[in-house]
Amino acid sequence: MAPRPSYRLTRIPEMTIRRLSVYTRCLLQLEEDGVKTVSSQELADRFNLNSAQVRKDLAYFGEFGVRGIGYYVSGLKAELQKILGLDREWTVVLVGFGNLGSALSRYKGFARQGFRIVAVVDDDPAKVGREIDHMPVIASRDMAREIKARGAQIAIVAVPAESAQTVTDQLVAAGIKAILNFAPARLKVPRDVRLKNVDLSIELETLSFYLAKGSRS
Amino acid sequence: MAPRPSYRLTRIPEMTIRRLSVYTRCLLQLEEDGVKTVSSQELADRFNLNSAQVRKDLAYFGEFGVRGIGYYVSGLKAELQKILGLDREWTVVLVGFGNLGSALSRYKGFARQGFRIVAVVDDDPAKVGREIDHMPVIASRDMAREIKARGAQIAIVAVPAESAQTVTDQLVAAGIKAILNFAPARLKVPRDVRLKNVDLSIELETLSFYLAKGSRS
DNA sequence: TAGATTGTTAATCGATTAACAATC
DNA sequence: TAGATTGTTAATCGATTAACAATC
């Protein structure tokens, strides 16, 4: 009944984490719709997954369900938010305020899950000193100071490929522990820093593979 | 020696396609650097993959290597580009010219691989009729006509979640065969239309899981 | 209680990796 | 030829799914 100790050694599959994130959003919606309980089968149907998979994903972290009933929507939601670290605010710096950076800075989905961009970093003199939605734009030479002062844990990198590694080294030196990288560059980070690359082109390229295949075969 | 027939039934793993895309970019770089041949081991080392995996990925599509030598960089590059459909231009419409849409419209990585955005769709009267880097901004009521006139095959959806399904239905009706969706919505499309969802929040959420775990355990 | 649904074990499936004969 | 590296088979590993006793 009690969640398992979180120091358990079982390695949790990355795909499980991603699905947990999906379940959470679904539960948020269900709660809004006033639904009280949900079964693994109902959850699975929404994403065409297997109900055993849903139960297994959850079972990595504890026993959240009630046999014969299913899961209590708001209880499970709260548990998953805690597991994913969405029950608190994360302090984020956004590096790069070009096209993509400015789009990301305005992206509402981040704030909604508790990711607060507290500073935007860009060296363009035309941008430095401005303030966008309460986010100050600062120069990179002030970045480390700001990160430490604010206790920022996460950085979003949206600079050109050429400057990505330099910026990353500065972020790491300043104590950043997780980086979401949009620059088309393979970044080197120490083992204890979590790095996630988002590649916008690769998705289009896989689509074109299937289109090309379709017109071939 | 000759590539295998492309009508072969073997289902190709999605992860293989994604890696093919990664190999291609690496080969592009190697070619630029004047490197003539590369072994599966060298390729693998660059992405910490296994060399057998590289060979197997390639072997789905033919025998491109030379025993004792490795792969000829420009030859393999050309083969992979053909497989991925990157040896031609794809005609793309971008729907939604808000923050994200405008960032995507300027994103250089797409054009570099032959994805040409030929029209931007947005219903904001302040935007309709403008032209951005040779891309006309048109209203959604003219979308279908433009898609047919230009023979566009791919659409990028970057509208708010609320309008995503409506827009998608129109795209499908107009003959679009592949959709890259940035809207946080689960879209329904017919089986013959390829849909790829990009979720910007989910990446941050997996990062926060590891951060939260770190501070727990 | 009877019906429903969980948590978990065992079976299946698919992807990764090791190993090696083929061959440049 | 000797050395290197491929393409491919067999072994391994891990993730998904089926099945079911436990139990609300």
PDB file of all heavy atoms in Angstrom, chain A residues 136-158:
ATOM      1  N   PRO A 136      13.943  39.263 -17.144  1.00  0.00           N
ATOM      2  CA  PRO A 136      14.981  40.186 -17.582  1.00  0.00           C
ATOM      3  C   PRO A 136      15.876  39.527 -18.628  1.00  0.00           C
ATOM      4  O   PRO A 136      16.165  38.333 -18.529  1.00  0.00           O
ATOM      5  CB  PRO A 136      15.778  40.450 -16.294  1.00  0.00           C
ATOM      6  CG  PRO A 136      15.562  39.239 -15.464  1.00  0.00           C
ATOM      7  CD  PRO A 136      14.176  38.747 -15.779  1.00  0.00           C
ATOM      8  N   VAL A 137      16.279  40.305 -19.622  1.00  0.00           N
ATOM      9  CA  VAL A 137      17.258  39.799 -20.587  1.00  0.00           C
ATOM     10  C   VAL A 137      18.633  40.260 -20.131  1.00  0.00           C
ATOM     11  O   VAL A 137      18.868  41.466 -19.989  1.00  0.00           O
ATOM     12  CB  VAL A 137      16.973  40.324 -22.006  1.00  0.00           C
ATOM     13  CG1 VAL A 137      18.023  39.795 -22.990  1.00  0.00           C
ATOM     14  CG2 VAL A 137      15.570  39.935 -22.454  1.00  0.00           C
ATOM     15  N   ILE A 138      19.513  39.311 -19.879  1.00  0.00           N
ATOM     16  CA  ILE A 138      20.837  39.649 -19.364  1.00  0.00           C
ATOM     17  C   ILE A 138      21.932  39.187 -20.330  1.00  0.00           C
ATOM     18  O   ILE A 138      21.697  38.329 -21.170  1.00  0.00           O
ATOM     19  CB  ILE A 138      21.082  39.018 -17.976  1.00  0.00           C
ATOM     20  CG1 ILE A 138      21.056  37.493 -18.088  1.00  0.00           C
ATOM     21  CG2 ILE A 138      20.043  39.503 -16.970  1.00  0.00           C
ATOM     22  CD1 ILE A 138      21.490  36.782 -16.830  1.00  0.00           C
ATOM     23  N   ALA A 139      23.098  39.767 -20.203  1.00  0.00           N
ATOM     24  CA  ALA A 139      24.236  39.366 -21.029  1.00  0.00           C
ATOM     25  C   ALA A 139      24.862  38.103 -20.461  1.00  0.00           C
ATOM     26  O   ALA A 139      24.726  37.815 -19.266  1.00  0.00           O
ATOM     27  CB  ALA A 139      25.259  40.490 -21.074  1.00  0.00           C
ATOM     28  N   SER A 140      25.554  37.351 -21.298  1.00  0.00           N
ATOM     29  CA  SER A 140      26.082  36.061 -20.849  1.00  0.00           C
ATOM     30  C   SER A 140      27.149  36.230 -19.763  1.00  0.00           C
ATOM     31  O   SER A 140      27.343  35.331 -18.958  1.00  0.00           O
ATOM     32  CB  SER A 140      26.625  35.245 -22.022  1.00  0.00           C
ATOM     33  OG  SER A 140      27.716  35.898 -22.604  1.00  0.00           O
ATOM     34  N   ARG A 141      27.795  37.395 -19.746  1.00  0.00           N
ATOM     35  CA  ARG A 141      28.807  37.543 -18.688  1.00  0.00           C
ATOM     36  C   ARG A 141      28.160  37.631 -17.307  1.00  0.00           C
ATOM     37  O   ARG A 141      28.809  37.383 -16.296  1.00  0.00           O
ATOM     38  CB  ARG A 141      29.725  38.747 -18.952  1.00  0.00           C
ATOM     39  CG  ARG A 141      29.155  40.075 -18.525  1.00  0.00           C
ATOM     40  CD  ARG A 141      30.116  41.246 -18.540  1.00  0.00           C
ATOM     41  NE  ARG A 141      29.322  42.469 -18.701  1.00  0.00           N
ATOM     42  CZ  ARG A 141      28.756  42.834 -19.833  1.00  0.00           C
ATOM     43  NH1 ARG A 141      28.940  42.139 -20.925  1.00  0.00           N
ATOM     44  NH2 ARG A 141      27.987  43.916 -19.896  1.00  0.00           N
ATOM     45  N   ASP A 142      26.870  37.942 -17.250  1.00  0.00           N
ATOM     46  CA  ASP A 142      26.176  37.985 -15.968  1.00  0.00           C
ATOM     47  C   ASP A 142      25.414  36.696 -15.662  1.00  0.00           C
ATOM     48  O   ASP A 142      24.730  36.591 -14.639  1.00  0.00           O
ATOM     49  CB  ASP A 142      25.183  39.163 -15.949  1.00  0.00           C
ATOM     50  CG  ASP A 142      25.902  40.500 -16.116  1.00  0.00           C
ATOM     51  OD1 ASP A 142      27.030  40.626 -15.589  1.00  0.00           O
ATOM     52  OD2 ASP A 142      25.346  41.395 -16.776  1.00  0.00           O
ATOM     53  N   MET A 143      25.524  35.745 -16.582  1.00  0.00           N
ATOM     54  CA  MET A 143      24.722  34.539 -16.479  1.00  0.00           C
ATOM     55  C   MET A 143      25.001  33.746 -15.206  1.00  0.00           C
ATOM     56  O   MET A 143      24.078  33.396 -14.464  1.00  0.00           O
ATOM     57  CB  MET A 143      24.973  33.663 -17.702  1.00  0.00           C
ATOM     58  CG  MET A 143      24.054  32.470 -17.828  1.00  0.00           C
ATOM     59  SD  MET A 143      24.283  31.619 -19.415  1.00  0.00           S
ATOM     60  CE  MET A 143      25.851  30.812 -19.138  1.00  0.00           C
ATOM     61  N   ALA A 144      26.277  33.471 -14.954  1.00  0.00           N
ATOM     62  CA  ALA A 144      26.635  32.639 -13.813  1.00  0.00           C
ATOM     63  C   ALA A 144      26.130  33.265 -12.507  1.00  0.00           C
ATOM     64  O   ALA A 144      25.547  32.583 -11.661  1.00  0.00           O
ATOM     65  CB  ALA A 144      28.141  32.430 -13.753  1.00  0.00           C
ATOM     66  N   ARG A 145      26.334  34.568 -12.390  1.00  0.00           N
ATOM     67  CA  ARG A 145      25.878  35.263 -11.183  1.00  0.00           C
ATOM     68  C   ARG A 145      24.371  35.083 -10.985  1.00  0.00           C
ATOM     69  O   ARG A 145      23.898  34.730  -9.907  1.00  0.00           O
ATOM     70  CB  ARG A 145      26.218  36.744 -11.290  1.00  0.00           C
ATOM     71  CG  ARG A 145      25.975  37.500  -9.986  1.00  0.00           C
ATOM     72  CD  ARG A 145      25.815  38.999 -10.215  1.00  0.00           C
ATOM     73  NE  ARG A 145      26.895  39.533 -11.051  1.00  0.00           N
ATOM     74  CZ  ARG A 145      26.729  40.526 -11.932  1.00  0.00           C
ATOM     75  NH1 ARG A 145      25.554  41.094 -12.105  1.00  0.00           N
ATOM     76  NH2 ARG A 145      27.759  40.963 -12.637  1.00  0.00           N
ATOM     77  N   GLU A 146      23.640  35.289 -12.082  1.00  0.00           N
ATOM     78  CA  GLU A 146      22.179  35.183 -12.030  1.00  0.00           C
ATOM     79  C   GLU A 146      21.728  33.757 -11.669  1.00  0.00           C
ATOM     80  O   GLU A 146      20.818  33.561 -10.869  1.00  0.00           O
ATOM     81  CB  GLU A 146      21.595  35.584 -13.396  1.00  0.00           C
ATOM     82  CG  GLU A 146      20.113  35.892 -13.391  1.00  0.00           C
ATOM     83  CD  GLU A 146      19.772  37.235 -12.756  1.00  0.00           C
ATOM     84  OE1 GLU A 146      20.714  38.034 -12.502  1.00  0.00           O
ATOM     85  OE2 GLU A 146      18.575  37.482 -12.490  1.00  0.00           O
ATOM     86  N   ILE A 147      22.372  32.783 -12.256  1.00  0.00           N
ATOM     87  CA  ILE A 147      22.034  31.383 -11.981  1.00  0.00           C
ATOM     88  C   ILE A 147      22.219  31.083 -10.498  1.00  0.00           C
ATOM     89  O   ILE A 147      21.358  30.469  -9.867  1.00  0.00           O
ATOM     90  CB  ILE A 147      22.897  30.435 -12.840  1.00  0.00           C
ATOM     91  CG1 ILE A 147      22.416  30.476 -14.290  1.00  0.00           C
ATOM     92  CG2 ILE A 147      22.857  29.006 -12.301  1.00  0.00           C
ATOM     93  CD1 ILE A 147      23.334  29.778 -15.272  1.00  0.00           C
ATOM     94  N   LYS A 148      23.341  31.534  -9.962  1.00  0.00           N
ATOM     95  CA  LYS A 148      23.609  31.268  -8.547  1.00  0.00           C
ATOM     96  C   LYS A 148      22.637  32.029  -7.666  1.00  0.00           C
ATOM     97  O   LYS A 148      22.076  31.472  -6.728  1.00  0.00           O
ATOM     98  CB  LYS A 148      25.060  31.613  -8.215  1.00  0.00           C
ATOM     99  CG  LYS A 148      26.019  30.550  -8.759  1.00  0.00           C
ATOM    100  CD  LYS A 148      27.474  31.001  -8.700  1.00  0.00           C
ATOM    101  CE  LYS A 148      28.372  30.045  -9.478  1.00  0.00           C
ATOM    102  NZ  LYS A 148      29.646  30.671  -9.886  1.00  0.00           N
ATOM    103  N   ALA A 149      22.408  33.313  -7.994  1.00  0.00           N
ATOM    104  CA  ALA A 149      21.518  34.135  -7.179  1.00  0.00           C
ATOM    105  C   ALA A 149      20.105  33.550  -7.140  1.00  0.00           C
ATOM    106  O   ALA A 149      19.454  33.543  -6.106  1.00  0.00           O
ATOM    107  CB  ALA A 149      21.487  35.571  -7.718  1.00  0.00           C
ATOM    108  N   ARG A 150      19.642  33.066  -8.285  1.00  0.00           N
ATOM    109  CA  ARG A 150      18.279  32.545  -8.385  1.00  0.00           C
ATOM    110  C   ARG A 150      18.192  31.065  -8.045  1.00  0.00           C
ATOM    111  O   ARG A 150      17.095  30.517  -7.987  1.00  0.00           O
ATOM    112  CB  ARG A 150      17.770  32.735  -9.821  1.00  0.00           C
ATOM    113  CG  ARG A 150      17.814  34.165 -10.308  1.00  0.00           C
ATOM    114  CD  ARG A 150      16.576  34.904  -9.853  1.00  0.00           C
ATOM    115  NE  ARG A 150      16.268  36.004 -10.759  1.00  0.00           N
ATOM    116  CZ  ARG A 150      15.055  36.486 -10.922  1.00  0.00           C
ATOM    117  NH1 ARG A 150      14.032  35.968 -10.259  1.00  0.00           N
ATOM    118  NH2 ARG A 150      14.843  37.496 -11.736  1.00  0.00           N
ATOM    119  N   GLY A 151      19.329  30.406  -7.927  1.00  0.00           N
ATOM    120  CA  GLY A 151      19.321  28.965  -7.702  1.00  0.00           C
ATOM    121  C   GLY A 151      18.701  28.187  -8.850  1.00  0.00           C
ATOM    122  O   GLY A 151      18.003  27.195  -8.643  1.00  0.00           O
ATOM    123  N   ALA A 152      18.954  28.650 -10.077  1.00  0.00           N
ATOM    124  CA  ALA A 152      18.371  27.976 -11.242  1.00  0.00           C
ATOM    125  C   ALA A 152      18.968  26.584 -11.409  1.00  0.00           C
ATOM    126  O   ALA A 152      20.174  26.395 -11.237  1.00  0.00           O
ATOM    127  CB  ALA A 152      18.611  28.803 -12.502  1.00  0.00           C
ATOM    128  N   GLN A 153      18.095  25.602 -11.702  1.00  0.00           N
ATOM    129  CA  GLN A 153      18.567  24.224 -11.841  1.00  0.00           C
ATOM    130  C   GLN A 153      18.576  23.752 -13.284  1.00  0.00           C
ATOM    131  O   GLN A 153      19.271  22.821 -13.645  1.00  0.00           O
ATOM    132  CB  GLN A 153      17.659  23.278 -11.038  1.00  0.00           C
ATOM    133  CG  GLN A 153      17.581  23.574  -9.564  1.00  0.00           C
ATOM    134  CD  GLN A 153      16.246  24.219  -9.176  1.00  0.00           C
ATOM    135  OE1 GLN A 153      15.605  24.903  -9.976  1.00  0.00           O
ATOM    136  NE2 GLN A 153      15.834  23.988  -7.946  1.00  0.00           N
ATOM    137  N   ILE A 154      17.720  24.370 -14.107  1.00  0.00           N
ATOM    138  CA  ILE A 154      17.534  23.894 -15.479  1.00  0.00           C
ATOM    139  C   ILE A 154      17.872  25.014 -16.456  1.00  0.00           C
ATOM    140  O   ILE A 154      17.562  26.179 -16.192  1.00  0.00           O
ATOM    141  CB  ILE A 154      16.067  23.456 -15.708  1.00  0.00           C
ATOM    142  CG1 ILE A 154      15.679  22.363 -14.690  1.00  0.00           C
ATOM    143  CG2 ILE A 154      15.841  22.983 -17.135  1.00  0.00           C
ATOM    144  CD1 ILE A 154      14.231  21.899 -14.805  1.00  0.00           C
ATOM    145  N   ALA A 155      18.510  24.650 -17.576  1.00  0.00           N
ATOM    146  CA  ALA A 155      18.750  25.628 -18.640  1.00  0.00           C
ATOM    147  C   ALA A 155      18.174  25.113 -19.946  1.00  0.00           C
ATOM    148  O   ALA A 155      18.216  23.913 -20.228  1.00  0.00           O
ATOM    149  CB  ALA A 155      20.239  25.891 -18.804  1.00  0.00           C
ATOM    150  N   ILE A 156      17.604  26.032 -20.712  1.00  0.00           N
ATOM    151  CA  ILE A 156      17.174  25.711 -22.068  1.00  0.00           C
ATOM    152  C   ILE A 156      18.136  26.419 -23.005  1.00  0.00           C
ATOM    153  O   ILE A 156      18.308  27.638 -22.916  1.00  0.00           O
ATOM    154  CB  ILE A 156      15.737  26.192 -22.333  1.00  0.00           C
ATOM    155  CG1 ILE A 156      14.773  25.514 -21.356  1.00  0.00           C
ATOM    156  CG2 ILE A 156      15.339  25.924 -23.777  1.00  0.00           C
ATOM    157  CD1 ILE A 156      13.325  25.966 -21.508  1.00  0.00           C
ATOM    158  N   VAL A 157      18.797  25.652 -23.861  1.00  0.00           N
ATOM    159  CA  VAL A 157      19.788  26.215 -24.774  1.00  0.00           C
ATOM    160  C   VAL A 157      19.172  26.367 -26.163  1.00  0.00           C
ATOM    161  O   VAL A 157      18.745  25.382 -26.769  1.00  0.00           O
ATOM    162  CB  VAL A 157      21.048  25.334 -24.839  1.00  0.00           C
ATOM    163  CG1 VAL A 157      21.994  25.813 -25.936  1.00  0.00           C
ATOM    164  CG2 VAL A 157      21.762  25.335 -23.488  1.00  0.00           C
ATOM    165  N   ALA A 158      19.096  27.609 -26.632  1.00  0.00           N
ATOM    166  CA  ALA A 158      18.518  27.878 -27.953  1.00  0.00           C
ATOM    167  C   ALA A 158      19.390  28.895 -28.681  1.00  0.00           C
ATOM    168  O   ALA A 158      18.902  29.892 -29.195  1.00  0.00           O
ATOM    169  CB  ALA A 158      17.082  28.391 -27.798  1.00  0.00           C
TER     170      ALA A 158
END
